[in-house]
Amino acid sequence: KIQNLAQLMPNKDIQTTLMAPSSRRKFLHNSFFAAAVIGSSGLLLNREYSVNYLLSDAYTNTAQRKTIQLDDGSHVNMNPRTPIDINYDSEKRLIMLKGGGIITNVIKGERPFIIKTKFGNIITLNSRLNISKSDEGIHLAVLDSVAKIINNDGVSSIIRKNQGAWFSGRKIIPITVTPSAETAWLEGKLEVNNATLASVVEALQNYTPAFIHLHPKVRHLRVSGVFPLDDVFYSLDSLSQTMPIAITRTTDYFLQIKPARV
């Protein structure tokens, strides 16, 4: 619906403010500027420290990897920007993965070990799993033993050693996995084979507070190689030298990746 001209005009109070003496207008201008600075600072702070995750039982900030030990002796390796909640009781061992990615090293026990996600659950007794969450679904690679997926629609699948799956709330899709690529991030590396540029940038984004804007026309370009996660700018420069893309770095906190000019 198109607004008419009268609706777009400022009301009387706003007109009075705009016509106020210059000192008042200057104060108002400075207030707006301060609010903008505070808002921008908040965004940058959240990119650096994952402010939204502070209430989680365990979490990692941007570019931070860490390992935690659970009460039963199991270990969880946490990728950057990963929040989890932990709930152990007499019937189950449960981790809620709310974002990011983890590698679980589950000690065998009588209680099932459950990784709960927005899209469904992963259940095991003892296994090593690489799990990562995106907005669309969950990536699972079974590195040892076996695990079971039950998604939100009740669809289930058994995934065995060196097998993988991607699942959403409605479907489960088998995928091929390479164990070395699944665990490369533990050593600060990103190993990909024919992955989309969008997925590579998504992984790199977790290792820098900078905003990386990816042009839609280059999102589906394919990438293969090994890239250092702890030096994002170097990795991006490497991509720009071998792919038809151009990277514009306005500041240390904003980068654009666009099609290269022909």
Side-chain angles (χ1 to χ4, degrees), residues 82-100:
T82 297
I84 63 173
D85 286 336
I86 303 165
N87 181 10
Y88 273 38
D89 59 30
S90 60
E91 296 181 353
K92 66 183 181 301
R93 301 172 288 171
L94 185 145
I95 287 179
M96 178 177 287
L97 177 64
K98 299 189 287 186

Side-chain angles (χ1 to χ4, degrees), residues 17-18 22-33:
T17 300
L18 294 175
S22 59
S23 60
R24 188 176 176 188
R25 289 199 304 271
K26 183 177 180 180
F27 171 78
L28 186 62
H29 176 271
N30 291 340
S31 298
F32 285 152
F33 178 76

Side-chain angles (χ1 to χ4, degrees), residues 46-112:
N46 188 51
R47 282 295 315 147
E48 186 85 44
Y49 294 107
S50 307
V51 176
N52 295 335
Y53 304 156
L54 293 179
L55 297 180
S56 300
D57 291 336
Y59 64 91
T60 49
N61 293 314
T62 299
Q64 179 188 22
R65 295 184 297 270
K66 73 178 180 183
T67 301
I68 62 172
Q69 181 172 328
L70 305 176
D71 290 345
D72 64 340
S74 298
H75 290 81
V76 178
N77 300 101
M78 302 174 65
N79 221 331
R81 299 186 67 82
T82 297
I84 63 173
D85 286 336
I86 303 165
N87 181 10
Y88 273 38
D89 59 30
S90 60
E91 296 181 353
K92 66 183 181 301
R93 301 172 288 171
L94 185 145
I95 287 179
M96 178 177 287
L97 177 64
K98 299 189 287 186
I102 58 176
I103 289 180
T104 64
N105 294 275
V106 179
I107 298 297
K108 187 175 182 178
E110 295 182 0
R111 294 173 297 170

